[in-house]
Amino acid sequence: MSGTRTIGPELAREFGLTANEYGTLLGIMARDPSLTELGIFSVMWSEHCSYKSSRVWLRTLPSEAPWVIHGPGENAGVVDIGDGLAAIFKMESHNHPSFIEPYQGAATGVGGILRDVFTMGARPIANLNALRFGSTDNPVTRRIVDGVVRGIGGYGNCVGVPTVGGEINFHPAYDGNPLVNAMTVGVARRDRIFLSAAAGIGNPVVYVGSATGRDGIHGATMASAEFDETAAARRPTVQVGDPFTEKLLIEACLELMATDAIVAIQDMGAAGLTSSSVEMAGRGGVGIELDLDHVPQRETGMTAYEMMLSESQERMLMVLRPDRTELARAVFEKWELDFAVIGHLTDTGRIVVRHQGRVEADIALAPLADAAPLYHRPTAPSPAPEPLGSVPDPVGIEAALIWLIGCPDIASRAWVWDQYDSTVGGQTVRRPGAADAAVVRIPDSRIGLALTTDCTPRYVAADARLGGAQAVAEAWRNLTAVGARPLAITDNLNFGSPEKPEVMGQFADAIAGMGEACRALDFPVVSGNVSLYNETRAPDGTSRSILPTPAIGGLGVLNDAAQAVGLALPSDHDLVLLGRTEGALGQSLWLREILGREAGSPPPLDLVAERRTGDFVRGRILAGTVAACHDLSDGGLLVAVAEMAMAGSMGVRLDVPQSGVSPQAYWFGEDQGRYLLAVADGAAMVEAARRAGIEGRVLGRSGGDGLTLPSGATISLARLNQAHGAFFPALMAD
Amino acid sequence: MKAGIVVFPGTNRERDMAIALAGSTGRRPVLLWHRETELPELDLVVLPGGFSHGDYLRSGAMAAHAPIMAAIRGFAAAGGHVLGVCNGFQILTEAQLLPGALLRNAGMRFLSHDCTLRVERGDTAFTRHWRPGDLFRAPLAHGDGNYIADAGTLDRLEGEGLVAFRYADGSPNGSARGIAGVLSPNLRICGLMPHPEDLVDPLMGGIDGRPLFDGLAELFAA
């Protein structure tokens, strides 16, 4: 960056600050800022770090429950899971870097979210990821899928944290702006949680991990801007990951955390040394003084501006007890990591940055945080979706099923999962695809954690309030379907430009819907991340937003992991459908895939019935009367039946559908709040459900090696598997 | 049985291995840091899976020169039993304690799925709870599992019965002659790519891997 440029409103705009924001800065500083100071303000006030457009809405989300230990505001959310243990988890986006450089973008996304979790004292025990790619017809999509999958695997496999779940959608709205949302879950003793608030005037500020280079400078600002055709030229702002160093950092931090040396700790994520030092000191209400001469550097001649703005990966900032500094140094030297005392805490309430004897920055911390921009951006309603109208069935049930189970949004993800190490740790009870939620046991305990990520962006696009609520409800449902008690969620809110009123309208409505579902289901938000400006600009200058995608990461607990059920259909069991079926085809996959239409309202959500049905299902699973369970989602009832049959390599004979609903609506409608259960005695289950006020019916019985429709037609498991398995290998064939 | 598990920077399956060994022996194995130069009194040394030194040179190449490897060579030369799994197998070949090498998977992608292994002989410390021809399931998780050696070495391995395990359902990673695990001439050093240690608990999907650890535990029960 140009050290010789004139510092003023023009450079501030290049750094992403508006004229008003620059005016506020001048008011705080009461003088012209230095280049380093301008850099610090611009990243701290970027959308990515300040949440300036989203904060007013995020505040409305419920974040409390008796089991919540730390909600939003820390590096990750923390919930009590029993036995004196806490689960620590968060999901975070790495969307823009993953378009520019898919492998490194995805890899460093995994690395960043891992650090958010182990910085709180947790050993990471599982990774998940929610991915959205562009059209399968777009030749770029293939390259991005390949890089993202390799990047997630390359990082997660090396650090030795199993990748156990996630989701993948394809839609043209993500052309040029894929979404890579990575989630990490860790476990710590609940009395050994580490926080970021600095304390103890005079205490040393210590830098550990990799040396600092020039990579990623202004990454947070890039993540807060729209993309255009020159995006590739921003490749230098993408960071490069080193999972080996991350692995060492995990082990070294956890080893030091077993002592009493650490007062406060935070990873250097977006905006690197700037955000970590500013936030740690700010949260602790103290001042901080840094001497950059002591920062480990891997390039020569770095300026203060570059060091403060670098987003080099695998770095942490700690405040230590002064009498434990040498103990800490020995731990990091054992793990062959850089360790440097780069400053100390002060009572000035200011951040002072020195380099080569000069003061390069001197900023009062309180106004930097308190005067951060906060926008009540205008909102506007989105146009209502095209009416559903008449929905003829041009292909029939059998052909539609075969098509749907092979379509990009439902087809087998085995090609992807087979590149992720899902068993390292030896605690993976349900691997990817084996159940509605992944289940991982806590080492040396019986407790199991159930984990899922969910969002149906086409619902959110059609009705953001309903779609936001549905994403939360589906996560709750997926955790319930394995028998877990849903505890809390992390949210990753991916939207277009907040400067477009209709995008802000989607954002506000989606949050309203999420909040309704969270409250109805006692399922608070404990951590999250907002990614705005997910737009691509066509060469003709028009800007297009992604589908609104509030991805939900859900966490639930099983007191005994052995009680978890999967979705594999066993032989000689009744298949029971619970929940009400009205045949909702609006925004269904059947409508999109068979009729080529994205129309109608998404299926309605009854949160009271949702809770009643889910609580009943969970109760039956924990009572041991359910052999397999699967919630109904994309593709509806018949797709869910086929998925259970394929997972269990077991056929099933289905009875006639209920009257009053057309066959295509019955078999492929996406009515919410429904589950399929494999049970020994279907009639007894239906009767128990009826007594609980839940609709249910025996749908059929398992056996044989095919799916037999009420018409008598049988689709062999081999044909189902062939149709289900073909998509990814064909897309990614050399 | 007294077992020690070596931890290199980047090792990541030492916990899995410790759980499997403790499950069969009833006692926790000791963890050995790569900078150690002497071994405690042990019946078995295990080199577990992971990405030692990031595998940034060749897989296992840096670890093969770690200070502890000299002690392990001495332990092996004195007839000690050594098991290397995945990265541990790669380290044993790089250290030339086992013949051959592990190249990038034939498909050039990381592979993570269950495979079926066939036991080639049942009279070694590592296979004594199986019979020749027995099939068992094991998760594999590696990018560099493509076993290769020159034809003469492969012929010798087969001729002398030093192939411990073979992929029974085709070689997923391109390994020569479907070889998944090999033995030293004295049958006391064994390396294999898949992870029997990750399938020792019905809750995790099966106990197919347990005979390996039960057999070792019984051999060294004392």
Side-chain angles (χ1 to χ4, degrees), chain A residues 628-644:
Chain A
C629 183
H630 189 19
D631 87 306
L632 273 61
S633 56
D634 280 352
L637 176 55
L638 197 56
V639 165
V641 171
E643 287 172 340
M644 292 183 76

Side-chain angles (χ1 to χ4, degrees), chain A residues 401 569-577 637-638 641-642 644-646 649-657 666-667 676-679 697-717 720:
Chain A
L401 174 65
L569 187 61
S571 66
D572 297 318
H573 276 65
D574 286 336
L575 197 57
V576 169
L577 171 65
L637 176 55
L638 197 56
V641 171
M644 292 183 76
M646 287 186 284
S649 298
M650 179 54 56
V652 61
R653 175 177 290 276
L654 297 173
D655 296 334
V656 287
Y666 182 78
W667 291 117
L676 275 172
L677 283 66
V679 297
R697 59 178 291 148
V698 179
L699 206 65
R701 191 159 177 86
S702 62
D705 55 7
L707 196 169
T708 301
L709 298 170
S711 66
T714 295
I715 309 168
S716 71
L717 285 174
L720 289 176

Side-chain angles (χ1 to χ4, degrees), chain A residues 424-442:
Chain A
V424 60
Q427 304 295 317
T428 308
V429 179
R430 301 284 169 189
R431 299 186 201 172
D436 282 358
V439 179
V440 179
R441 186 176 64 183
I442 310 301

Side-chain angles (χ1 to χ4, degrees), chain A residues 123 146 242 418 421 425, chain B residues 13 15-16 56 109 112 114:
Chain A
R123 177 170 288 281
D146 183 65
D242 174 2
D418 284 358
D421 188 341
Chain B
R13 265 185 164 84
R15 285 178 197 78
D16 315 36
Y56 287 153
R109 285 184 189 278
S112 170
D114 282 358

